[in-house]
Amino acid sequence: MKSDLFASEHMAETAAFPGMSLQNAKSVKYAVNGEMHARQGSMIAFRGDLQFERKAQGIGGMLKRAVTGEGLALMAVRGQGEAWFAHEAQNCFIVEIEQNDALTVNGRNVLCFDATLSYEIKTVKGAGMTGGGLFNSVFSGHGKIALVCEGNPIVIPVSPQAPVFVDTDAVVGWSEQLHTSLHRSQSFGSMIRGGSGEAVQLKLEGQGFVIVRPSELTPQKASAN
């Protein structure tokens, strides 16, 4: 049988090393040798001896998710084999977190991650009940995490001399050491006249980076997640 479908860029080869790698722009391959974690329902194929089990968040995580709608519905993948993960054909990116690093991520943008990473739902300091949520997922330790994003993300450096203001519906994640607060960018008079549609942003200050996606979360997408 002949087809462009069978070109090398579409073929799944046996992994040369354990852990995650990009299969293509829309999916991640993970060679499992023990245990890894992924968002529930994101596995699209696997081969080998693997088991998939719901991963509990703990009482604290369950309460925070119930109150805010934030958090991660996770599953643990255990055994020996290869698994492929994707979410709504969104673009996939792999980030390696090094020791003493920490990355704050919106739960909707997490695809899968190494079991060596610690995961915790934390309060976004100074953010209040914004569109991005009061709680975000914080990853620390040493290992890799795969993120998904609608479109190609923009990574914006943050410095003490140049704070960055981001729409709470567009933010994907940021360096955990950054200071966060709310910023109002329109006057009271403008709000009375109907507003600009850009009333409040998340302000990030310090040294690090922030990741944003090239779209805002629509109400339809928000209710589906």
Side-chain angles (χ1 to χ4, degrees), residues 148-196:
V148 290
C149 179
E150 292 180 336
N152 289 321
I154 305 164
V155 179
I156 306 173
V158 181
S159 70
Q161 298 76 29
V164 177
F165 307 84
V166 299
D167 188 296
T168 56
D169 286 334
V171 66
V172 173
W174 63 87
S175 306
E176 168 64 8
Q177 69 268 21
L178 293 176
H179 174 74
T180 56
S181 61
L182 284 185
H183 173 77
R184 297 189 180 276
S185 59
Q186 68 178 3
S187 66
F188 181 71
S190 176
M191 294 176 65
I192 292 177
R193 292 190 295 272
S196 64

Side-chain angles (χ1 to χ4, degrees), residues 1-3 5-6:
M1 190 175 296
K2 296 181 179 180
S3 170
L5 176 64
F6 303 114

